[in-house]
Amino acid sequence: MSNYHIKHLEEYWQVYRNSVRNPENFWEEIAEEHFLWRKKWTNVLSWDFAKPEVKWFEGAELNITENCIDRHLATRGDKTAILFEPNNPDEETLHITYKELHERVSKFANVLKSQGVEKGDRVCIYLPMIPELAVSVLACARIGAVHSVVFAGFSSTALATRINDCDCKMVICTDGSYRGNKTIDLKGIVDEALKSCEGVSTVLVAKRINSEIVMQDGRDKWLQPLLDKADTVCKATIVKAEDPLFILYTSGSTGKPKGMVHTTAGYMVYTAYTFKNVFQYRESDVYWCTADIGWITGHSYIVYGPLANGATTVMFEGVPSYPDYGRFWEIVEKHKVTQFYTAPTAIRALAKENLDYVNKYDLSSLKVLGTVGEPINEEAWHWYNDNVGKKNSPIVDTWWQTETGGIMISPIPYSTPTIPTYATLPLPGIQPALMDENGNEIKGNQVEGRLCIKFPWPSMARTIYGNHGRYRDTYFSAYKNNYFTGDGALRDAVGYYRITGRVDDVIIVSGHNLGTAPIEDAINEHPAVAESAIVGFPHDIKGNALCGYITLKETGEGRNHDNLSKEINQLITDRIGPIAKLDSVQFTNGLPKTRSGKIMRRILRKIASKDISNLGDTSTLLNPEVVNELIEQAGL
Ligand code: PRX
């Protein structure tokens, strides 16, 4: 039996039991046999969820890029590490071998050094899905700098907040980006953001769309001439196991985004291990995850997990609908993709289109299909299974979070029998628990509750950058000695988990986590708005869409509601990004509130979902008449 590579269900159970009985031994063996260490650890794990403090492989020293690149050079130097598929299908595919990746990362790392970036410094990366994105991430890791990748669809305000929150001294961007048949002025967004970021002294600009941009003297530098001059060798900076590797922001239910801090050794071990098992990766496979590296899925399962296994990982710059809805399948055929990992929202969007877009292509190379980001509905699951997998490729419905760093609950393909909508079983080392509202664990099967994790795992985020108290309050205070995920889940008769969705004020729209508070803050900035509340409602493609309930100030009364809605959506786009726009707006005279002044979102959610059959207890409402008014207005 190998703990590292599970090949059938019995083995899974054996490995799982072993991992729970003796977690330290379990992870120690995996770490020892499958990675390159410059110094071994003195202690596998120390932890205290009350503080909270978690340390894995303390005393160890390493560099993650030596594990992701250097150690493959002898055996896989000419193997494609990154297969870059551009937005425009007429542009050439790039095959970057491990040798070439080594050279590119080394040069980029030398550029970072030459620009004054040192170990521990934070570097903001605001790039589209081009090779420079993966290379700059790895270049930071090469010299022990901490990358903070910001998804290049975020607005200038959102970018500025993230740059300032972790004091980045450098931003890496492009002149612009392609998105289907559109271009986006990324450098313009960066310029706008930097008006309020005093700490940034250098902007490195890669050329992508060859647009005319303004370069600020002394601050902005073209990347290519610097790379041309850079040395092709850059000795890896050796870091400690618990040194931070990156910061990645995620939305919370309140306030500003949370900069989740991931550290080096545990993250590396866990993402590599889960990549190997969840995708059953074999040496000649071509693996493709369609996520953006701006999200955790891209960090863990486009860059670090695959490269740590010496895999070929596809990076796709474009969108599923360009030049037509067959693009994904064309790429699968062209590169004989073996594992394909995407989001339910993409599946739903493609399922709406003509099946010819799928059937035109030879998808017989596929062995494993994956989904992530939100619960997958049964219809989408079947469409994926029938038309893409031809009922031959198991679907791994992978549940995890930015905070968990790696996949937590998922089938092992060809081992775990799958059921639509079930993420199925915890991966080795993961100890889930379901809790009731009073904070007690609900034991046994066929139960539903709030999903917690009882025991540390190597890739868990260690803190929120600059705010450890918020980290403790958000994840470790609701259930004593447990990590609380914010999700609800049920466990069926055989112990399979099904994630039922968020139980807090985070709404997942097209697979993106959106906190209600920042959106409401943006809306409330409008001079005509008195107050607002955002809720999610079911949407065919996005999973959830946003509905805003808005009350106006006297000055706003009588104003055209369509115009107001447009202005409000523009504000949201400016402050957060287009992903947070409202699909529906209802202007109202009041919001349903409890006597303590809390908005009862539960009721708004029901109205927005057009389901008012059971509004629950409304006796604590201060203004029950508002509810009737809202129902009437919605025409229900
Ligand atoms: O609610 C869960 C949902 O996405 C949340 C985490 O979002 P984020 O940090 O952006 O990471 C997404 C990619 C890992 C979770 O709390 N979620 C993620 N995967 C699933 C899911 N819900 C149901 N099923 C999933 N497979």
Side-chain angles (χ1 to χ4, degrees), residues 297 372-375 397-402 487 499 502 508 513:
T297 308
V372 61
E374 60 184 306
D397 178 351
T398 64
W399 173 83
W400 57 297
Q401 311 177 295
T402 305
D487 283 326
I499 311 303
R502 301 291 309 184
I508 304 187
N513 273 12

Side-chain angles (χ1 to χ4, degrees), residues 106-387:
S106 303
K107 281 181 154 193
F108 207 125
N110 282 327
V111 169
L112 294 178
K113 277 193 194 167
S114 74
Q115 299 302 311
V117 178
E118 293 176 2
K119 179 170 182 283
D121 285 346
R122 274 80 55 210
V123 173
C124 173
I125 302 175
Y126 187 69
L127 285 171
M129 280 287 284
I130 56 174
E132 285 80 355
L133 174 48
V135 171
S136 59
V137 158
L138 293 162
C140 286
R142 187 84 179 168
I143 62 168
V146 179
H147 55 81
S148 167
V149 183
V150 176
F151 172 60
F154 274 119
S155 71
S156 55
T157 317
L159 174 61
T161 308
R162 287 158 176 77
I163 291 172
N164 286 331
D165 184 73
C166 65
D167 299 318
C168 293
K169 64 194 295 191
M170 175 188 273
V171 176
I172 303 169
C173 68
T174 47
D175 49 354
S177 64
Y178 294 117
R179 192 176 164 76
N181 56 12
K182 286 194 255 174
T183 55
I184 299 166
D185 174 21
L186 284 194
K187 177 63 167 52
I189 296 172
V190 170
D191 288 340
E192 186 58 35
L194 292 192
K195 285 182 187 162
S196 55
C197 303
E198 281 172 8
V200 175
S201 50
T202 312
V203 179
L204 296 182
V205 188
K207 253 197 186 132
R208 178 59 183 138
I209 65 168
N210 290 308
S211 58
E212 285 283 319
I213 56 165
V214 181
M215 296 289 278
Q216 185 175 309
D217 244 8
R219 187 195 70 182
D220 301 350
K221 293 171 186 158
W222 289 108
L223 177 65
Q224 196 55 48
L226 294 173
L227 285 173
D228 291 342
K229 280 193 299 202
D231 202 293
T232 54
V233 179
C234 176
K235 204 165 154 252
T237 301
I238 303 307
V239 306
K240 296 196 169 69
E242 284 294 338
D243 277 347
L245 175 63
F246 66 87
I247 298 167
L248 186 61
Y249 285 86
T250 187
S251 312
S253 31
T254 54
K256 61 177 187 173
K258 298 172 289 192
M260 304 313 307
V261 178
H262 282 281
T263 57
T264 307
Y267 176 83
M268 171 182 79
V269 169
Y270 193 78
T271 52
Y273 178 75
T274 49
F275 173 76
K276 177 77 183 165
N277 285 294
V278 172
F279 299 104
Q280 290 291 305
Y281 185 83
R282 310 265 170 155
E283 192 59 40
S284 57
D285 287 349
V286 176
Y287 161 89
W288 181 19
C289 165
T290 71
D292 192 291
I293 294 176
W295 309 112
I296 191 70
T297 308
H299 279 62
S300 303
Y301 299 108
I302 295 179
V303 182
Y304 289 113
L307 296 179
N309 282 280
T312 297
T313 176
V314 176
M315 255 186 98
F316 175 45
E317 185 187 21
V319 292
S321 54
Y322 179 79
D324 64 38
Y325 285 97
R327 187 71 196 278
F328 272 4
W329 320 126
E330 184 239 338
I331 297 173
V332 169
E333 177 183 285
K334 184 167 158 196
H335 300 302
K336 300 200 168 38
V337 170
T338 41
Q339 290 89 352
F340 178 76
Y341 190 27
T342 196
T345 185
I347 298 167
R348 288 190 297 264
L350 294 168
K352 281 222 164 304
E353 303 302 324
N354 197 314
L355 257 189
D356 289 349
Y357 284 123
V358 190
N359 293 338
K360 232 165 78 183
Y361 298 100
D362 176 7
L363 306 183
S364 59
S365 56
L366 288 170
K367 295 193 291 191
V368 178
L369 302 177
T371 87
V372 61
E374 60 184 306
I376 181 163
N377 50 308
E378 214 160 330
E379 210 183 331
W381 193 97
H382 283 296
W383 185 88
Y384 199 29
N385 187 44
D386 296 353
N387 301 302

Side-chain angles (χ1 to χ4, degrees), residues 518-532 550-557 559-572 574-575 582 585 587:
I519 304 175
E520 288 162 3
D521 289 347
I523 298 172
N524 298 347
E525 273 184 46
H526 193 287
V529 171
E531 203 179 15
S532 61
I550 297 174
T551 64
L552 295 174
K553 290 180 186 157
E554 243 173 84
T555 48
E557 281 170 14
R559 286 212 40 201
N560 178 296
H561 283 180
D562 284 346
N563 291 344
L564 272 177
S565 301
K566 279 193 196 123
E567 289 167 20
I568 285 166
N569 265 334
Q570 189 54 49
L571 256 175
I572 295 175
D574 293 345
R575 296 292 177 267
L582 308 180
V585 179
F587 292 98

